[in-house]
Amino acid sequence: MNGRANGHVTNTTQSYDVIIVGAGISGVNAGYRMQTTLPNSSYTILEGRADLGGTWNLFKYPGIRSDSDLHTFGFPFNPWTKENPIATGESICTYMKETASKFGIDQHFQFKHKVVSADWSSDAQLWRLEVDNEGTRKIFYAKFIIMGTGYYSYEKPLKAHIPGLEKFKGTTVHPQFWPEDLDYKGKKMVVIGSGATAITLLPALVEGGVGHVTMLQRSPSYVMSQPQRKTGVVNFYERFLPTWISLRITRIRFLVLPYLFYLFCRRWPDKARALLMGEAQKQLPKDFPMDPHFTPTYNPWDQRLCLCPDGDFFKCFANGRAQVVTSTIDTVTSDSILLSNGEKLDADIIVTATGLNLQFCGNISLSVDKQPVAVPSRFMWRATMLSGVPNLFLIIGYVNASWTLGADSASRLLTRLMGFMAKNKYTSATPRISEEEAKEKRLPLNLTSTYVKSGVGNMPHAGAKAPWLPRDNYMRDSWFADRGDLRLGLEFVGKSS
Ligand SMILES: Cc1cc2nc3c(=O)[nH]c(=O)nc-3n(C[C@H](O)[C@H](O)[C@H](O)COP(=O)(O)OP(=O)(O)OC[C@H]3O[C@@H](n4cnc5c(N)ncnc54)[C@H](O)[C@@H]3O)c2cc1C
Ligand SMILES: *[C@@H]1O[C@H](CO)[C@@H](O)[C@H](O)[C@H]1NC(C)=O
Ligand SMILES: *[C@@H]1O[C@H](CO)[C@@H](O)[C@H](O)[C@H]1NC(C)=O
Ligand SMILES: *[C@@H]1O[C@H](CO)[C@@H](O)[C@H](O)[C@H]1NC(C)=O
Ligand SMILES: *[C@@H]1O[C@H](CO)[C@@H](O)[C@H](O)[C@H]1NC(C)=O
């Protein structure tokens, strides 16, 4: 198969060196790394949906936007050139489309191709995939699979345990399935949750003419304002440096400053807390009660810090059409929510912004020589491969920095590994963990937010020592991707054996 840009195609089967599953940020990025690092290998990107974008194509709720800056969330090989660091879902999709066509990655997409199962054959040293293409079953073969399938289920949202919700006669909406024709103008809404989604929704709903909206949170989160750049304002270095250097400096600034802030939060949690709360108070209406609505019980960065552009979240409380309530739900009635503090919230629409249903490997049933692989029982080698599973890469990014930074380190690592294998005439690499090493388990995504806690059972493990450690920080992971020793923890099979 080598030496062919396009895979081998017959009516019923297709063969490639590499199959990438998913056309989200991770899949597109992996496609770029494939074609630049291994230009002689054939690859295709199988995407279950009708379009690219992944997360940014799926979520349609009002105001949907990143809460990372696009200078680091964007692709390192095609820097974000717009002025606003925080971008809308739509502009992220456009940017992804432009990137895919600029580098010819779009030639490799096959949409409406949902991978159902994948079985590794040790005899053939190949993966065999069953793919559903609008009801037609197709078979694909590949030497390697790269899972750019994200980390949550697209079909099944996290079940929110809200007592009495079934009695509610109004409209219940999950942000993952926002009806695009939902009319909330003049209506009373309650948004349950305090994460990034709720914080994005509130100002957007106020702007969109909601009658009144309550953000109902069980416990508060940290929210930080991210100043958006005013049009026409230029950084001093942009005045005299060529654009590509300026873009690089901007990227480095956005890499380093948040990292320093992260270290500051870890080292001096009390000071960080005071700083975040002080900044919030400045932007909230006068006399807004900070306690309990903006006084989290955890330390900054124990959970992902929510960013809001130009403090829009704080400012939306000014005209009295938005409020925040910190309490727990006693029960939902046909037209209201009764709280344990005795309060009653009337509602026409309830939004359950309570999180994602964690899922890895896109609900594909995986097997090795027909033996089923339960993903959550496996350990992750360098946060990119699963123990006991040959030639399969699973891309997970960072949760305390832009996802893409981690996804790109993973892609650089796995393409280098493929090159290394080709050079040594290895046909497969399988991570092997010893019983001793498997004794101590860690989380590959280390955050304590509710949805991560409730989804722990769906996640593979990380270990306490290299090469099983969770992703660390970008500088170190990036160094390892380009220069680290590839052999530790891997078992190789060569051509002759
Ligand atoms: C509302 C929201 C906001 C977020 N904001 C940020 C942010 O600001 N910064 C940040 O760093 N992270 C953010 N995240 C996390 C975000 O999901 C990741 O940053 C990033 O978009 C993930 O990209 P991905 O390509 O890995 O996965 P996804 O975007 O989830 O894409 C996975 C793709 O794989 C496809 N797929 C899955 N299974 C199969 C299958 N079996 N067969 C074929 N195709 C399949 C899916 O259809 C999808 O297109 C956010 C997440 C959400 C939900
Ligand atoms: C790809 O193939 C061409 C022609 O066979 C060869 O000259 C080139 O070195 C190969 N590139 C890589 C990266 O292997
Ligand atoms: C996974 O796929 C199976 C069918 O193969 C389906 O029954 C199940 O609901 C899916 N699970 C999720 C979480 O999407
Ligand atoms: C998460 O990270 C903290 C330090 O940042 C560490 O103390 C803790 O053990 C980690 N938890 C898991 C489950 O890996
Ligand atoms: C993210 O958290 C890990 C520990 O959980 C830490 O080692 C790393 O430095 C953090 N990275 C950033 C960019 O904040």
Side-chain angles (χ1 to χ4, degrees), residues 21-27 46-49 53-56 59 61 64-68 73 113-115 148-152 154 197 304 356 362 364 401-403:
V21 188
I25 281 271
S26 302
L46 302 181
E47 167 56 57
R49 296 163 62 79
T55 298
W56 305 103
F59 280 78
Y61 60 77
I64 169 79
R65 54 165 162 77
S66 67
D67 57 5
S68 297
F73 188 76
H113 278 65
K114 188 179 160 68
V115 181
T149 43
Y151 63 100
Y152 61 89
Y154 274 50
T197 305
R304 191 185 181 119
L356 305 164
I364 296 168
S402 283
W403 178 272

Side-chain angles (χ1 to χ4, degrees), residues 255 258-259 262-263 266 301 398 400-401 446 471-474:
L255 269 172
Y259 185 60
Y262 169 84
L263 292 180
R266 283 289 186 214
W301 267 128
Y398 297 108
N400 60 354
N446 183 358
R471 246 181 232 309
D472 184 19
N473 71 58
Y474 178 63

